[in-house]
């Protein structure tokens, strides 16, 4: 620390928001990596996997919803396509499980191009209706095409690690889902700080104005839509390899898309970690209600109540609301301009007196010389 510097400046530099952010991130990563070893039973690990799956899905949805402002309630269609694509490539195509996972994601991304080309030409409520229609059409197709998909009987996906114990199986997939979540967050972070991301945010704020400024709005929307579909497909395919049993009613459900929206809204759609926080809250609430109350629709009531709380009290999400509250406390704790100025004057009083004395001497000498 330099001579004459204020110790409070050094202390404030240690609590800079950037260092706090890094510290919280490292702590969260440490907790996430150590969770399987701390879990008392394999069941807690399955709950962790379910929450991570929700987190990947909501983060994948946030590529479209967070950047462009387009709300898709049928995004679960891409998760279902990823799950069935992976399952069919493994069960009937006899591809290695993880090769099937990535091949399926590529195929879903390719399919998302014509789907996005048609859907992204409309906005607002029309886009929501188109997204719902997509998931309902796929539900009918996969239920009716029983010779390929198994129909209502479902599709059994062979386990990728047949000789592994069940507990080790869960632990392995926990880390796989965690890695996929980290990749999705990294890509979202890169886009958020790129010129491409700036264009997407301009679309979110005012699409017509962004287009008038020369931004290729439709191309930007289509690219991010395909990226979102690819990550959603990876989440669905990884779920198929982990769970091993697929049902069209569950895989192509409007509820899954609604959960993605709810989680992102709860945490904050414009935030990197918003969908992750929303998945922790909503995912745990859903899993708890299912365990405590069985097959009753109480988990739907819980989801509805959470949505009502978010819309009423935190329309921008938990993270922006907490950030605004902390910012308010910081502003009230800061010294006023008058107090800061007085403190600086006391510290630099000697310097001012020395300068004033030197200036007065120079004035007297100039008067004597007649200049």
């Amino acid at each position: 620390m330099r001579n004459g510097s204020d110790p409070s400046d050094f202390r404030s530099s240690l609590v800079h928001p950037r260092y706090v952010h890094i510290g919280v991130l490292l702590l969260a990563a440490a907790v996430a990596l150590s969770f399987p070893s701390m879990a008392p039973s394999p069941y807690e690990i399955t709950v962790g996997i379910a929450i991570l799956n929700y987190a990947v899905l909501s983060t994948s949805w946030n590529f479209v919803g967070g950047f462009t402002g387009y709300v898709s309630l049928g995004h679960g269609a891409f998760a279902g396509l990823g799950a069935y694509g992976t399952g069919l490539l493994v069960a009937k195509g006899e591809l290695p499980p993880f090769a099937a996972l990535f091949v399926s994601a590529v195929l879903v991304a390719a399919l998302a191009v014509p789907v996005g080309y048609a859907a992204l030409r409309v906005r607002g409520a029309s886009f929501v209706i188109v997204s719902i229609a997509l998931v309902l059409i796929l539900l009918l197709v996969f239920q009716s095409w029983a010779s390929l998909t198994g129909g209502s009987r479902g599709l059994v996906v062979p386990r990728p690690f047949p000789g592994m114990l069940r507990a080790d199986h869960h632990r392995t997939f926990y880390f796989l889902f965690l890695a996929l979540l980290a990749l999705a967050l990294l890509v979202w972070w890169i886009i958020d700080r790129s010129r491409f991301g700036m264009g997407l945010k301009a679309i979110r704020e005012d699409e017509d104005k962004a287009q008038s400024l020369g931004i290729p709005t439709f191309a930007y929307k289509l690219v991010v839509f395909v990226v979102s579909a690819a990550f959603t497909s990876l989440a669905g395919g990884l779920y198929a390899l982990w769970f091993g049993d697929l049902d069209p009613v569950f895989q192509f459900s409007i509820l899954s898309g609604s959960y993605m929206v709810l989680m992102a809204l709860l945490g904050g759609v414009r935030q990197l970690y918003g969908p992750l926080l929303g998945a922790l809250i909503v995912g745990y609430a859903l899993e708890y209600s299912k365990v405590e109350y069985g097959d009753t629709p109480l988990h739907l009531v819980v989801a509805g109540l959470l949505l009502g709380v978010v819309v009423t009290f935190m329309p921008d999400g938990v993270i922006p609301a907490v950030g605004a509250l902390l910012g308010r406390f910081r502003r009230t704790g800061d010294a006023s301009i008058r107090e800061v100025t007085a403190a600086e004057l006391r510290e630099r009083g000697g310097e001012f007196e020395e300068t004033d004395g030197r200036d007065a001497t120079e004035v007297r000498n100039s008067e004597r010389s007649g200049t």
Side-chain angles (χ1 to χ4, degrees), residues 223-295:
V223 170
V224 82
F225 185 80
V226 172
V227 172
S228 175
F231 274 105
T232 308
S233 171
L234 286 172
L238 197 58
Y239 176 87
L241 295 178
W242 168 62
F243 196 71
D245 190 6
L246 302 178
D247 186 345
V249 175
F250 177 77
Q251 300 301 323
F252 297 98
S253 172
I254 298 178
L255 283 177
S256 60
S258 302
Y259 289 153
M260 295 182 206
V261 178
L262 173 59
M263 292 169 191
L265 288 177
L266 181 60
V269 292
R270 302 183 182 187
Q271 308 293 322
L272 173 62
Y273 302 113
L276 174 57
L277 178 61
L280 286 172
I281 299 172
V282 178
Y284 181 80
L286 292 176
E287 294 301 318
Y288 178 81
S289 62
K290 289 177 183 178
V291 170
E292 291 295 324
Y293 303 103
D295 295 331

Side-chain angles (χ1 to χ4, degrees), residues 61-72 124 127 200 203-205 269-270:
W61 179 91
N62 205 36
F63 280 97
V64 174
F67 282 127
T68 67
Y70 279 61
V71 177
S72 170
F127 179 78
L200 292 173
I203 294 171
R204 181 185 66 199
E205 300 303 325
V269 292
R270 302 183 182 187

Side-chain angles (χ1 to χ4, degrees), residues 130-192:
V130 170
S131 65
I132 294 175
L134 173 64
V135 72
L136 292 178
I137 290 172
L138 289 175
L139 171 61
L140 292 175
V141 169
F142 277 77
Q143 271 190 321
S144 303
W145 201 354
S147 60
L148 177 67
T149 66
S152 300
R153 298 189 307 273
L155 176 69
V156 177
V157 182
R159 295 174 60 180
F161 310 109
M164 187 177 289
L165 296 177
R166 194 67 177 174
D168 296 331
H169 175 83
H170 292 325
R171 191 174 294 107
T172 301
F173 271 93
Y174 175 89
F175 288 112
L176 289 174
F177 272 103
L178 188 62
L180 181 58
L181 174 61
L183 179 61
L185 291 173
L186 177 62
V187 174
W188 201 97
W189 181 83
I190 292 173
I191 292 177
D192 185 47

Side-chain angles (χ1 to χ4, degrees), residues 28-37 174-175 178:
V31 172
L33 290 171
S34 59
F35 175 77
S37 60
Y174 175 89
F175 288 112
L178 188 62

